[in-house]
Amino acid sequence: MQRYQAGSCTPAESELVENWYRQLAETNDWDWGEGEKDIMQHIIEARILEQTNDSPTVIRTRPYLLSRATWWAAASVFFIGTFSYFFFFKDSSKPAQIAKVLRNDVPAPQSNRAMITLANGQKIYLDSVGNEALATQGNVKVVKLKGGEIAYQQSAGDEISALQYNTLSNPRGSNVINMFLADGSKIWLNAGTTVTYPVAFVGNERIVSVTGEAYFEVAHDASKPFIVNYKFMRVEVLGTHFNINAFEDDDQDIKVTLLEGSVHINNEIGTRVLKPGQQALVYKEIRVMSDVDVSFVMAWKEGYFQFNNASLQSVLKQVSRWYDVDVVYEGSNQPRQFVGEMQKNLNLSEMLKILEKNKVHFRIEGKKLVVLPD
């Protein structure tokens, strides 16, 4: 709505706002005071006064509508299906109201179930330890901080002369976890993500490897470039902020999105350099997209699902990782695309109700999500 008021929406976004407004005007289903209603009417009617295009069916749902001071403080959530639009509100200042868990329901992750595998093979399950020193490897301590973050703290003494690697694994059905490396760099891991890294960086490079989705805030060190490896791809930076989406079970392109600084991306075909706001789609070749909505890319870190022209299969892969359920298709489903955000602290049944508004039907069988045919 703020972009619409400023005139910076894409044509597709403007069409969504205007179609939604037409439906509210027909049903008179307003949730705002008269003053706020008048402001919105003035903005929108000035732009669609001479438009006569037929609008698609609009369905307004209210299961997750939260109170808000004004509509200016609210964020809009759109889901585009084959025949329907869905509109929701979320208030960033208040948590979502989570319904009572049904017998066959699956709640959103309530804790973090990440695990560290040390260089000697020892495994540390982070949900079973308190805020304490977890291990010592040479002159580096592994500590769990009060906020739940993991920190590698290097002290004075004999430096590590040979690389020792640890692995942080954040399984499906686990909350996001973040970690400080020994050089001060910080990494956030989404559910279903694993990162392998040295206890302390030795030599003239800082090399880690990742599978899944991770956000990096790299501490600047011009003498030691920071390198992230994933299969055939190599991302090299000196100090910057970027996101990598590289799940092994996803048949889509690997996505590298830059927030600050610059990154060099290499694969078997060539090399590209990203600027802030750009996203690289990496497979056999490297394609660069400009003017990417970075807040949309980073929704997972802020507690939201994000869909950008996503297929039903792509949406349900995110669902599978977050709720730790196996998705089974009993038949075929017509193609659909979804755009928008949804709160991740909903029970699985609550999320499915939203998708079912677009004529997708499901059955929950324990840890199995069955997608019914159209």
Side-chain angles (χ1 to χ4, degrees):
M1 292 298 297
Q2 290 172 338
R3 290 203 305 275
Y4 187 92
Q5 182 198 19
S8 59
C9 278
T10 66
E13 290 172 335
S14 295
E15 182 182 2
L16 287 177
V17 174
E18 291 160 6
N19 286 331
W20 166 72
Y21 167 76
R22 289 189 182 99
Q23 177 67 12
L24 288 187
E26 291 175 4
T27 63
N28 202 32
D29 185 19
W30 301 96
D31 286 321
W32 302 307
E34 287 299 318
E36 295 162 343
K37 173 183 172 183
D38 291 343
I39 292 173
M40 191 176 69
Q41 283 181 312
H42 176 76
I43 294 170
I44 297 180
E45 288 184 0
R47 297 197 182 169
I48 65 174
L49 183 61
E50 297 181 357
Q51 294 183 18
T52 58
N53 295 334
D54 293 333
S55 61
T57 303
V58 181
I59 301 176
R60 181 108 198 273
T61 60
R62 301 185 54 164
Y64 315 113
L65 182 64
L66 302 176
S67 62
R68 60 204 183 281
T70 69
W71 67 275
W72 298 102
S76 57
V77 183
F78 290 99
F79 288 85
I80 309 173
T82 307
F83 302 108
S84 306
Y85 294 102
F86 305 95
F87 187 81
F88 305 85
F89 279 105
K90 61 182 175 65
D91 186 332
S92 60
S93 65
K94 298 184 180 181
Q97 301 298 313
I98 302 179
K100 184 178 179 180
V101 179
L102 303 177
R103 184 174 64 178
N104 273 344
D105 207 352
V106 178
Q110 304 298 306
S111 63
N112 184 276
R113 301 191 293 112
M115 175 188 70
I116 296 176
T117 303
L118 302 178
N120 63 5
Q122 178 187 351
K123 298 183 185 299
I124 300 175
Y125 295 90
L126 300 178
D127 61 349
S128 61
V129 296
N131 304 324
E132 58 191 58
L134 306 179
T136 299
Q137 299 169 94
N139 66 335
V140 179
K141 286 185 178 180
V142 187
V143 180
K144 184 178 180 182
L145 305 178
K146 290 183 178 181
E149 303 100 330
I150 303 304
Y152 282 72
Q153 300 175 345
Q154 190 168 7
S155 59
D158 295 333
E159 293 187 359
I160 297 176
S161 58
L163 288 172
Q164 300 181 47
Y165 286 92
N166 286 185
T167 297
L168 176 60
S169 303
N170 197 30
R172 299 193 322 174
S174 176
N175 279 328
V176 173
I177 188 169
N178 58 305
M179 169 179 61
F180 291 93
L181 298 178
D183 69 335
S185 297
K186 196 171 184 180
I187 309 175
W188 284 257
L189 277 66
N190 202 350
T193 301
T194 297
V195 61
T196 299
Y197 50 92
V199 173
F201 294 104
V202 177
N204 56 6
E205 291 181 324
R206 298 173 287 170
I207 301 177
V208 305
S209 60
V210 66
T211 298
E213 184 165 28
Y215 171 65
F216 294 81
E217 291 186 352
V218 177
H220 184 81
D221 186 345
S223 66
K224 287 186 179 182
F226 191 98
I227 297 166
V228 181
N229 289 328
Y230 173 77
K231 292 185 177 179
F232 54 83
M233 182 188 69
R234 172 185 172 106
V235 178
E236 182 175 329
V237 305
L238 295 178
T240 188
H241 299 178
F242 62 98
N243 189 77
I244 292 182
N245 186 319
F247 286 103
E248 288 188 327
D249 65 348
D250 204 332
D251 55 3
Q252 298 184 11
D253 295 326
I254 301 165
K255 299 181 181 69
V256 181
T257 308
L258 181 62
L259 284 74
E260 293 183 14
S262 66
V263 300
H264 290 74
I265 302 174
N266 303 281
N267 69 355
E268 298 169 348
I269 304 300
T271 301
R272 298 294 297 270
V273 178
L274 292 188
K275 298 178 180 179
Q278 291 184 329
Q279 181 181 80
L281 306 178
V282 185
Y283 185 53
K284 292 182 179 179
E285 61 179 355
I286 304 173
R287 293 174 289 129
V288 176
M289 310 292 290
S290 298
D291 300 323
V292 174
D293 188 341
V294 173
S295 63
F296 204 63
V297 173
M298 297 307 304
W300 68 270
K301 180 174 169 288
E302 304 303 324
Y304 296 93
F305 290 106
Q306 57 86 15
F307 309 124
N308 185 11
N309 293 323
S311 65
L312 176 63
Q313 290 73 19
S314 178
V315 169
L316 293 182
K317 282 180 180 177
Q318 291 192 45
V319 171
S320 174
R321 297 179 196 119
W322 184 242
Y323 293 98
D324 190 19
V325 294
D326 296 320
V327 179
V328 177
Y329 295 86
E330 280 197 345
S332 60
N333 294 89
Q334 63 181 345
R336 295 172 172 85
Q337 285 189 319
F338 297 84
V339 173
E341 292 182 346
M342 191 191 309
Q343 292 156 311
K344 295 180 77 171
N345 57 355
L346 302 174
N347 296 330
L348 178 57
S349 66
E350 295 177 290
M351 182 189 182
L352 296 181
K353 285 179 183 177
I354 298 173
L355 297 181
E356 284 179 337
K357 293 293 184 179
N358 198 31
K359 305 185 186 302
V360 186
H361 300 288
F362 307 89
R363 183 174 68 249
I364 301 175
E365 298 178 354
K367 299 293 285 185
K368 183 167 67 175
L369 175 61
V370 180
V371 185
L372 305 177
D374 289 335

